[in-house]
Amino acid sequence: MLNKKTIDVLNTIQGIGADEKSNKITISYPITYVKSVSGDILINYDIRSTEIGEFDNIPIYNLNNFLNTFKLFNDDRVVKRNGKVISISDGSAQANFLLSDPELIPFNDFQSIFKTTCESANVSEFSLSKESLKSLRNASGVFKELDKYVFKTTENGINISLAAKNSFNQQSNSYSVSFISQTEKEFDVALPVNNLNMLPVSDYKVSIKYNSVRDQYRLLMESTELENFKIILSFENLK
């Protein structure tokens, strides 16, 4: 159980659903869901993609400590579970990691949210490369007064730009990246810089979804490198 592929994926999402004091997560089969502290980011990962067998829920109070325990061993480690204890060994060294009480770790199941979002109207779709994602992150580090990403339709597709919440800063520094995309609806939406910046660096297929009943936009991101890895981010509608 919990092979190298599984641990590698957990390392990529570490911190998204964490606060500074604890990094709580329930690793579940077949789908593991992660929710950010703010509630603005949801992750859906089909853990069967790591070629792991079925297992009971694994409630972890501090994911950081859990993953650091695995770093004490080589990749040939043997992982076993005995009740509330995960045992890791590599022949000469062994560690036991005590799992949390399930009632202390909220079990998230966002299947209905992902289903509704995926079925919502697709008003724009484009590819976001890891290079473009890194460029946006680097720019946000340079222009620290710009604290949100604005997604806006253009004549040839979509433009992602850095902007400030404070209207007095509208004449300040700027940075933007354009993407060619067919758009079905004009929109002008935004999300906090930190929400996009904390996501795993990957190439993504990006879809902007629109729920006409709620007049609500959501960002659906599907990694093209991590199989069956999906992310939903909430937008602020600027119109």
Side-chain angles (χ1 to χ4, degrees), residues 63-75:
L63 181 60
N64 182 56
N65 287 348
F66 183 70
L67 294 176
N68 282 338
T69 303
F70 279 81
K71 293 176 182 178
L72 300 173
F73 301 86
N74 58 44
D75 291 342

Side-chain angles (χ1 to χ4, degrees), residues 21-208:
K21 295 182 179 179
S22 65
N23 195 344
K24 304 175 185 178
I25 187 175
T26 296
I27 306 172
S28 55
Y29 186 97
I31 306 294
T32 291
Y33 295 96
V34 179
K35 180 181 180 181
S36 66
V37 174
S38 66
D40 293 334
I41 305 173
L42 301 179
I43 289 179
N44 171 315
Y45 182 64
D46 190 334
I47 206 162
R48 290 172 294 188
S49 299
T50 64
E51 302 173 2
I52 190 174
E54 187 172 356
F55 58 86
D56 293 333
N57 286 352
I58 302 175
I60 300 171
Y61 189 81
N62 192 308
L63 181 60
N64 182 56
N65 287 348
F66 183 70
L67 294 176
N68 282 338
T69 303
F70 279 81
K71 293 176 182 178
L72 300 173
F73 301 86
N74 58 44
D75 291 342
D76 295 327
R77 60 195 172 230
V78 176
V79 183
K80 296 181 180 180
R81 179 175 181 173
N82 183 13
K84 293 178 62 176
V85 176
I86 296 288
S87 297
I88 310 168
S89 62
D90 61 7
S92 59
Q94 178 172 329
N96 292 328
F97 191 94
L98 184 63
L99 300 179
S100 175
D101 291 327
E103 57 270 19
L104 297 179
I105 312 297
F107 174 66
N108 297 317
D109 185 351
F110 303 114
Q111 181 179 358
S112 61
I113 296 177
F114 274 89
K115 183 175 184 296
T116 300
T117 300
C118 290
E119 293 176 351
S120 296
N122 197 16
V123 297
S124 182
E125 185 176 291
F126 61 96
S127 296
L128 177 64
S129 68
K130 63 176 65 174
E131 289 75 20
S132 295
L133 181 57
K134 288 179 181 177
S135 294
L136 288 166
R137 288 184 173 182
N138 291 338
S140 70
V142 173
F143 305 122
K144 292 183 171 60
E145 76 278 11
L146 306 179
D147 50 11
K148 64 182 177 182
Y149 291 114
V150 175
F151 291 64
K152 190 173 183 178
T153 49
T154 64
E155 183 178 350
N156 297 317
I158 183 171
N159 181 271
I160 303 178
S161 61
L162 280 164
K165 289 182 180 179
N166 189 336
S167 60
F168 294 106
N169 289 337
Q170 288 185 355
Q171 301 301 316
S172 65
N173 300 315
S174 65
Y175 181 84
S176 65
V177 181
S178 296
F179 299 90
I180 298 175
S181 170
Q182 287 188 335
T183 55
E184 304 299 328
K185 187 180 186 301
E186 291 189 0
F187 53 82
D188 188 3
V189 293
L191 54 82
V193 160
N194 289 339
N195 286 1
L196 192 63
N197 287 357
M198 71 170 59
L199 300 184
V201 174
S202 172
D203 294 326
Y204 288 99
K205 171 187 172 184
V206 179
S207 302
I208 295 181

